[in-house]
Amino acid sequence: MEPNSLRTKVPAFLSDLGKATLRGIRKCPRCGTYNGTRGLSCKNKTCGTIFRYGARKQPSVEAVKIITGSDLQVYSVRQRDRGPDYRCFVELGVSETTIQTVDGTIITQLSSGRCYVPSCLKAATQGVVENQCQHIKLAVNCQAEATPLTLKSSVLNAMQASPETKQTIWQLATEPTGPLVQRITKNILVVKCKASQKHSLGYLHTSFVQKVSGKSLPERRFFCSCQTLKSHKSNASKDETAQRCIHFFACICAFASDETLAQEFSDFLNFDSSGAQMNSSLLPQDAVSSNLRKSGLKKPVVASSLKRQACGQLLDEAQVTLSFQDWLASVTERIHQTMHYQFDGKPEPLVFHIPQSFFDALQQRISIGSAKKRLPNSTTAFVRKDALPLGTFSKYTWHITNILQVKQILDTPEMPLEITRSFIQNRDGTYELFKCPKVEVESIAETYGRIEKQPVLRPLELKTFLKVGNTSPDQKEPTPFIIEWIPDILPQSKIGELRIKFEYGHHRNGHVAEYQDQRPPLDQPLELAPLTTITFP
């Protein structure tokens, strides 16, 4: 048929269109299906690639490596088929095969991965998928690292949450499995959690999103993967707010521990809620200004004192004072000295003779968190006949079984209580306190974030820890931190006797170790762990 005969079938008003082009359509980069340029996702149901998220929403980071504090390599990966705010976890590992030959040992390392998306897990167990899923491939090519967030114990102590919530958050934060809260994207964070069937890696995702519309008030939404799939608005009813999970409180505490984050998430920190309301005094900038005020009051006194001594003037005794916080810092330092790895963990009671006013301030700290003054667990009257001073006295005893409360009682700005202390072993078998150098957040991410080609050789980790509460799974009765007060040991001076009793345990490479005094003689060399020698052809 002649070309002219075809043109006769085309209407006259379409005769000057020219030949067809691909204008208005585009090819899916993943499956090759042609879609309209205005489409948000591929129309191929089995592909589902997201093309765009609208003008206001930018694509999320594909894969981010999580800081685990160990050789475990975990990644937060975006689920492309569900949108920018849906993420899953991928675990990468290396399996080794060793072959003995005449020339030596040959080690072959093979990369392996596991995707925790339910559909991918199911397909992998059934052997349906021969190649790695898209999530594992994204993790293998990952270049981004999560940003760890700081969590201050003072902020956690002051947060208006139940003691059980604070205790659980503190336990998760002190586990050697990386930071409690890590930031993945602008809105999404990864939080440590108790390992379960749903969250077998011990991590989950949370998101904090604020949407602003032209006519209505800003809408704040929080979601945690431990909950059912629904958004939680911060201006919702108190009944709904009361259901906020422990991971929400962990994130809120991390936000309030950093000045920049506190400003960015101020709407979540200051919303009207009895279940998670944070006082404005908790924000870091207030704490900083408070510390500056304190230091500003102390420095002139010290400077003037030094100036008087240089001029040969006598020191004014009225100016020599000891504040309650200075004294309390000395108590905390005594506890630190006592928690030494070289000893059995059952020290003699620490004894202090202090004025009644100091103990009144200490008792006020003991009662923080309760509406009334906390009464002692026991009150005992005894007669002292075999030691001075002689007479009848009363002894008041408090048992503290919450490690967070112990820290709240003893923390001072100059001397925070160290719940754990690290040590190194000398060549003569003695132990010496190890102070880890202060590291910036960025360098922590670099240390734990890089992919290790060889296993990391870690030094022997020796630690002591305060035994407060239940510190072992089979423990039935909690171990108390005991505070005893005997008033009027010196009745005219109003001086009483304070006794502090506590126990501490030993950790060796992250495991609880029984105390054993096995220091070798000085002339006997220490036994070192054997080294593995690998030869290659």
Side-chain angles (χ1 to χ4, degrees), residues 30-267:
R30 185 179 174 191
C31 68
T33 303
Y34 284 99
N35 299 268
T37 54
R38 294 187 179 183
L40 298 178
S41 62
C42 181
K43 63 184 179 182
N44 181 0
K45 299 293 185 181
T46 60
C47 175
T49 299
I50 306 297
F51 296 142
R52 62 193 180 110
Y53 306 99
R56 296 184 180 179
K57 210 160 198 176
Q58 298 299 322
S60 184
V61 181
E62 297 285 359
V64 180
K65 186 172 184 181
I66 306 301
I67 302 170
T68 62
S70 67
D71 297 331
L72 184 67
Q73 298 183 28
V74 180
Y75 297 82
S76 170
V77 181
R78 181 170 70 87
Q79 294 181 251
R80 286 176 166 178
D81 55 340
R82 300 192 66 185
D85 294 334
Y86 290 89
R87 304 188 74 89
C88 63
F89 287 109
V90 169
E91 179 185 4
L92 296 185
V94 176
S95 58
E96 292 186 352
T97 303
T98 304
I99 303 175
Q100 297 288 343
T101 65
V102 178
D103 298 325
T105 303
I106 300 176
I107 296 179
T108 304
Q109 292 186 341
L110 298 175
S111 297
S112 60
R114 174 180 292 181
C115 177
Y116 287 85
V117 173
S119 58
C120 297
L121 269 178
K122 184 178 179 181
T125 54
Q126 295 177 351
V128 176
V129 182
E130 296 181 359
N131 299 324
Q132 295 176 334
C133 71
Q134 58 171 323
H135 309 113
I136 294 179
K137 292 178 181 178
L138 289 172
V140 170
N141 298 321
C142 172
Q143 299 295 326
E145 297 169 348
T147 302
L149 304 187
T150 304
L151 188 142
K152 293 182 178 178
S153 59
S154 57
V155 175
L156 179 60
N157 289 334
M159 186 170 63
Q160 294 186 12
S162 66
E164 293 78 11
T165 298
K166 295 180 182 180
Q167 178 77 6
T168 304
I169 292 176
W170 181 255
Q171 288 175 348
L172 288 171
T174 52
E175 288 178 357
T177 52
L180 176 63
V181 183
Q182 305 178 52
R183 196 170 190 179
I184 305 301
T185 66
K186 178 178 176 60
N187 302 321
I188 300 175
L189 303 103
V190 164
V191 185
K192 280 196 295 188
C193 65
K194 293 181 179 179
S196 61
Q197 185 176 1
K198 183 179 180 182
H199 307 288
S200 56
L201 290 174
Y203 296 96
L204 52 75
H205 289 102
T206 66
S207 65
F208 290 78
V209 182
Q210 177 173 301
K211 295 182 179 180
V212 181
S213 57
K215 297 181 179 179
S216 60
L217 294 175
E219 183 181 342
R220 294 170 292 275
R221 295 176 179 270
F222 164 75
F223 173 72
C224 180
S225 56
C226 76
Q227 303 169 340
T228 56
L229 187 60
K230 68 174 184 177
S231 298
H232 293 266
K233 301 178 182 180
S234 59
N235 55 357
S237 64
K238 292 187 177 181
D239 292 338
E240 184 179 354
T241 305
Q243 298 176 1
R244 293 193 182 277
C245 62
I246 193 170
H247 314 109
F248 171 80
F249 287 105
C251 294
I252 288 294
C253 197
F255 295 158
S257 299
D258 182 88
E259 182 177 356
T260 304
L261 293 174
Q263 294 177 355
E264 182 178 350
F265 294 94
S266 58
D267 289 337

